[in-house]
Amino acid sequence: MSPLEARYRRLLACYPRDHRARHEAEMMGVLQAGARPGQTRPDLADVADLLRGAARVHALIRGLAEHQDQTWAITVSVSGLQQMLARPEITYLIAERDGQAVGYVSWLERISFWSGENYLHLDDLYVTGAERAHGVGEQLMRAAAEAAEGKVIRWEVAESNEAAQRFYTRIGATLAAKKIARWQPK
Ligand SMILES: CC(C)(COP(=O)(O)OP(=O)(O)OC[C@H]1O[C@@H](n2cnc3c(N)ncnc32)[C@H](O)[C@@H]1OP(=O)(O)O)[C@@H](O)C(=O)NCCC(=O)NCCS
């Protein structure tokens, strides 16, 4: 193993374990293809991106999509995600254990046309497989609640996701059924 490859592999340790098991080869391929001839250390930009940047967020989002058998729906690129995360209305919180990402919650600040008040629209909540049922999800929701500073938090949960519905009810959320309409005008 070259010194550059060994260093990249150490950096990849910040990814969730189950994601790494499936995608380490692909991620290493991308990193090595982008390396300059004779390069022995990861570029600073690579390091920043891998450790705390959009690439890490991208990996977590893919983890959730894989869990839901919806990998096909992830079409955003790492740089597209990076630009999105820079928008002030978007927040993305990562839960870590021993430096490893073990879950995330993401939300958008929106305005209600009826009340004129801002509210948080929760986009995703996800805890990686082995870390579930240890309170990480609840901690992430409590962190979102703190950031909400009294604003309402709203989100969607699939009717089939009964375990998540139980979890939300347990932390004190109320659930109401509504159909989701989607239209792709031609
Ligand atoms: C829902 C989820 C975020 C909860 O996170 P968590 O860290 O497991 O939550 P906590 O440990 O704080 O609470 C565990 C509770 O969640 C429930 N739960 C929901 N899905 C679960 C799962 N796949 N595995 C284990 N527990 C799950 C447990 O039944 C438990 O409820 P209980 O305490 O009433 O028995 C997490 O299980 C998860 O990521 N699930 C898959 C993705 C998902 O469904 N996200 C929500 C989309 S709307």
Side-chain angles (χ1 to χ4, degrees), residues 28-43:
M28 281 301 301
V30 171
L31 287 166
Q32 287 180 307
R36 294 179 310 279
Q39 184 178 343
T40 56
R41 289 180 177 278
D43 281 335

Side-chain angles (χ1 to χ4, degrees), residues 64 67-68 124-129 131-139 155-158 161 163-164 166-168 170:
L64 174 59
H67 172 78
Q68 297 180 338
D124 278 335
L125 173 72
Y126 175 60
V127 175
T128 57
E131 295 289 339
R132 282 181 208 141
H134 294 113
V136 177
E138 180 161 355
Q139 270 184 281
W155 65 96
E156 290 161 10
V157 52
N161 195 349
R166 262 200 320 280
F167 165 76
Y168 292 139
R170 183 169 60 74

